[in-house]
Amino acid sequence: MRAAVPPRGTGARCEECARLDRAHSVAADTIADDPRPYRVYLAWFGPGLVKVGITAVERGPARLLEQGAVCFSWLGTGPLMAARRTEETLRAALGVPDRIAYAQKRAVRARLPGTGEERAAEVRALHRRAVELARWPESLRAEPCEVVDHVQAFGLDGVPAAFGEVVELVPGGAVGGELVAAAGPDLHLAVRGRGVVVLDTRLLRGWGLMPSPREGDELHLPVREFRQEQDGLF
C-alpha cells in the first residue's frame, strides 16, 4: 500500500514508516551498546535558545551544521550511555532542553547579536554551570569551552531579517529569489518586492521540481509570517 506524505511533512516517509525507521536509532534512545565515543555539546540558535545534545565523535561538527546552530561548544566526550546521562543531568538540573523547534530557530535569527562574543555569551555561561555539577558520569571527560561560530559559514552576517517561512509545498507552487543565506536545512531567499523568506529544504522530499516558466522573483506558496511584538519575537 502506498501512503501519501503530508504536505507539511519534512521527511520522505509516512508517519508509520518514520516510526519504524526510528526503532533502531541513537536519536530515539533505542541503542545502548554503540561502542563509538560520543560528544556532548551545547548549541545556541539565538537569544534564549540553547540546547544540549550528543553526536558521535567521528561526525565532528556536522550535526551542529545540520541543525543550524549559530554557535556551539563541546562539553564532554565518552561512551554513549555516559553522554546520554550527562544530557539528562543538564535537562533535570539546569532545565536545558534537548530539542528546539525549527520555527523558533528561524524566527529568532531576526535578532542575532552582531558580534561573536555576544553570541557566545550564553554558551559560555551555561558551560560554566554545567561543569560545576557534581553528578557527571566518571567515564565522561570534560571538554574546555571553545565556542565555534557559524555566522560566516551560514552567510547570516548582514542578511536582512526574514519576514516569514514557507509552511508547505503545493502543486503548481513556485518560489524564486536570491539565495542570501543557508542555515541547516533552511534557505533564506530574498524575493524582490517581498523581502527574505525561509524555505525548509526538507519539505522538498518527494516532490518533482522543475524550472519556473515565469521570469524574475516570485512567491506562490503558503507562508507563515513571523510575529513581531512590542517586547520582541513570540
Side-chain angles (χ1 to χ4, degrees), residues 70-94:
V70 177
C71 64
F72 79 95
S73 176
W74 304 122
L75 182 61
T77 303
L80 172 59
M81 296 313 294
R84 278 291 188 212
R85 286 196 298 273
T86 303
E87 186 182 42
E88 178 57 35
T89 295
L90 263 67
R91 287 201 300 265
L94 301 180

Side-chain angles (χ1 to χ4, degrees), residues 39-71:
R39 274 176 163 163
V40 184
Y41 62 79
L42 300 174
W44 184 87
F45 299 91
L49 293 183
V50 187
K51 62 159 278 189
V52 60
I54 70 171
T55 185
V57 169
E58 64 189 38
R59 296 207 68 210
R63 181 66 181 139
L64 286 307
L65 291 165
E66 291 168 354
Q67 294 180 78
V70 177
C71 64

